[in-house]
Amino acid sequence: MGLVNKTRITDNLAVIIGNQHIDVIATEDFPFDVQIRFIKTDDAQLDDGSGKKVFTPEYQMAFAAAYKGKSAFFSNTEDIKSFTKQLKEIKELFEFATLNKQTWFDTASFDGVLSQKVGSL
């Protein structure tokens, strides 16, 4: 299945929701690798005797951002302003994802239920 949904979240970050995946797309000069995933946390399947599954797999949203450079180096206030803006964009993305996690889960066509917990990768 092709593209399901693309949403621009900030100036530098967008999200593509496809069949059972979420891809975070960052502009070329954005210095962080950012990921959002739905991770299966419980795969319990019970049989009610009729061959039907009683419970479906449980998923949890998880996200992470890793700085691409070895360390942050600031030589002037503009560097600090830029870095701070990028951190705010990541925060905005994670907050948006948390608020929209059920919609994203449904759009990505996961077979299961979504836990209310949000974690890190």
Side-chain angles (χ1 to χ4, degrees):
M1 181 182 237
L3 175 70
V4 174
N5 186 330
K6 180 177 180 179
T7 305
R8 176 150 302 280
I9 309 298
T10 69
D11 291 341
N12 291 301
L13 299 171
V15 175
I16 296 175
I17 301 169
N19 189 29
Q20 297 199 353
H21 71 86
I22 297 175
D23 293 323
V24 177
I25 308 299
T27 57
E28 187 174 310
D29 59 342
F30 197 72
F32 289 88
D33 286 321
V34 184
Q35 294 185 3
I36 298 175
R37 300 279 183 264
F38 289 109
I39 298 172
K40 193 181 290 188
T41 58
D42 188 2
D43 200 14
Q45 302 287 329
L46 299 178
D47 188 342
D48 67 356
S50 67
K52 294 182 182 178
K53 295 176 184 172
V54 177
F55 296 104
T56 57
E58 180 180 8
Y59 290 83
Q60 178 179 343
M61 176 179 266
F63 39 69
Y67 187 63
K68 293 177 186 176
K70 291 183 180 181
S71 64
F73 177 77
F74 307 108
S75 60
N76 57 55
T77 58
E78 287 304 312
D79 290 345
I80 294 171
K81 283 182 186 178
S82 177
F83 192 78
T84 301
K85 180 183 180 290
Q86 293 158 349
L87 290 175
K88 286 180 181 178
E89 287 187 75
I90 293 168
K91 180 180 180 277
E92 187 176 331
L93 170 66
F94 289 171
E95 288 173 345
F96 189 86
T98 301
L99 289 173
N100 292 283
K101 67 182 179 178
Q102 186 65 54
T103 301
W104 289 7
F105 185 79
D106 295 341
T107 300
S109 301
F110 279 89
D111 180 32
V113 295
L114 183 60
S115 167
Q116 293 302 310
K117 296 185 237 173
V118 175
S120 60
L121 295 174

